[in-house]
Amino acid sequence: MMTIPSILVVDDEPDNFDVIEAFLSDRDYQLHYAWNGLEALKSLHVFQPDVILLDVMMPELDGITTCQKIKAMPEWKSVPIIMVTALSDKEDLARCIQAGADDFISKPVNSTELRARVQSMLRIRQQYQSIQELSQLQERTIDILQGSLDELRGSLSMSLPHELNTPLNGIFGVLGILIEEHEDMDHEEIAELLQLAKTSTMRLERVSRRYLNYIQLVRDSSLKLVSNSSMAANVASTASEIALETIDSAEWIANASASQTNSVKRSADLVLDLATAQLSMSIKHLQTIVEELLDNAIKFSQAGTPITIKTESMDSWLYLSITNQGRGMTELQIAQIGAFIQFERRSYEQQGLGLGLAIVQKLIDRYGGSLLIQSVVDQETTVTAKLPLAVQPQMAMV
């Protein structure tokens, strides 16, 4: 339950604070003041703000930079920030949203609008805290029911609500601009904003799908892997079994990877070196493995650099390797890979919960295979998945 809301006003003009204090005097808020961005950063732990009213134009550290720094701090990234600005140019407002601002209000400040926007942001803050409390309850429940979910504890309550909130804020921001200014905007501007909203929506869908995939993998860890023929002969037990299929790996991987790279306009970067081989596994599992590994290769390398997919058979296994010439990983980062882990997010602004490799690892473990990551920092990364080949029938001796 939220106590008296704490509001931090950051503005280099004390008179502006007096105005805001007067406008909010009829509300039960604790108001605090910082005269510039540096002072605000130092006072976060002291004031524990639930909402921040942040002036854009300030000396030493401007509002946009201050907003970026606050949103980069895990303990403060969920605190809603309202940018208070005299700027009206759409590009300036877009910069505020890109910096992580949740809302903005124009100068001179209108008392009714200020109260409404502060109340709206407090509701968002309260919803975040409710989600966080729910996640913590879920965390404790999972801990009791299944000790193998250690990697979820501590990370889920912080990462998931934020990862859901970020694309939602992007969608809300775009809708707000369209609602208020669509009559003065040309077709190109509207199309650009709609594309931003679409990107945020797709990100939200992917985060949700990855999280649900991970939870389902944990839940289904006890299911047996059986061939299609065995499953067909024993229909009553299919609820506890996963069907294995015989898959032409070269054809399937070629088609899937071509489709995925084409969707992000990197089909020219795809290099295939695929051996003819039959896999024995769930086609859904193979699809997830290839999609996640290829997604990482695309995300962590620049357009115009090759992404090489190679397969080779050895003994009863197929070794699937995907190589990208991107930023690479250190040995320590490779050793720390797990669910909800992301590396150098502040520097590279990559999205998602860091679940991709954790999902792949759990899938490969189901088949007794392995996942190997080899990387040279700032040069390349190769991820190799060891997958089961289908048993080839032996030729009859004549």
Side-chain angles (χ1 to χ4, degrees), residues 166-315:
T166 300
L168 278 174
N169 285 339
I171 295 168
F172 287 149
V174 168
L175 291 177
I177 294 175
L178 287 173
I179 289 170
E180 293 178 10
E181 304 182 33
H182 68 279
E183 294 181 353
D184 300 323
M185 299 172 70
D186 59 34
H187 179 76
E188 272 189 27
E189 290 175 313
I190 293 175
E192 185 178 350
L193 286 172
L194 289 175
Q195 185 59 47
L196 288 173
K198 180 182 178 181
T199 300
S200 292
T201 303
M202 292 173 63
R203 175 184 169 189
L204 181 62
E205 185 275 336
R206 183 158 180 76
V207 169
S208 303
R209 178 158 49 88
R210 272 184 166 168
Y211 171 68
L212 292 175
N213 281 347
Y214 185 83
I215 295 300
Q216 185 175 4
L217 281 172
V218 174
R219 185 192 66 189
D220 295 348
S221 59
S222 62
L223 298 188
K224 297 176 183 177
L225 300 170
V226 297
S227 66
N228 264 326
S229 57
S230 299
M231 181 171 281
N234 188 15
V235 177
S237 65
T238 57
S240 62
E241 298 172 340
I242 295 175
L244 298 178
E245 302 169 69
T246 300
I247 307 166
D248 183 333
S249 64
E251 180 181 1
W252 194 94
I253 292 170
N255 291 337
S257 57
S259 174
Q260 190 170 346
T261 52
N262 184 59
S263 68
V264 292
K265 296 181 173 57
R266 292 196 61 181
S267 55
D269 297 339
L270 184 62
V271 179
L272 298 177
D273 182 7
L274 305 177
T276 301
Q278 301 288 314
L279 286 172
S280 178
M281 60 189 302
S282 160
I283 197 163
K284 181 180 178 182
H285 289 174
L286 176 61
Q287 179 179 350
T288 301
I289 290 169
V290 173
E291 180 182 317
E292 293 293 349
L293 294 183
L294 187 51
D295 182 69
N296 274 349
I298 292 169
K299 186 163 57 176
F300 297 117
S301 64
Q302 295 291 324
T305 60
I307 297 174
T308 303
I309 303 179
K310 180 180 180 180
T311 61
E312 54 184 335
S313 302
M314 190 178 302
D315 299 326

Side-chain angles (χ1 to χ4, degrees), residues 23-35:
F23 285 166
L24 299 179
S25 60
D26 62 335
R27 305 299 172 96
D28 192 17
Y29 299 151
Q30 290 181 338
L31 294 180
H32 308 285
Y33 175 67
W35 71 275

Side-chain angles (χ1 to χ4, degrees), residues 296-302 305 323-330 333 341-351 374-382:
N296 274 349
I298 292 169
K299 186 163 57 176
F300 297 117
S301 64
Q302 295 291 324
T305 60
T323 302
N324 73 84
Q325 295 181 2
R327 74 176 195 241
M329 302 172 68
T330 66
Q333 288 173 339
I341 299 298
Q342 292 174 289
F343 301 112
E344 301 178 64
R345 174 167 181 151
R346 296 184 194 177
S347 300
Y348 294 97
E349 289 299 315
Q350 300 297 343
Q351 310 298 345
Q374 298 168 297
S375 187
V376 179
V377 176
D378 296 328
Q379 292 187 34
E380 69 173 28
T381 297
T382 298

Side-chain angles (χ1 to χ4, degrees), residues 163 180 384 391 394:
E163 290 295 339
E180 293 178 10
T384 302
V391 176
Q394 293 187 356

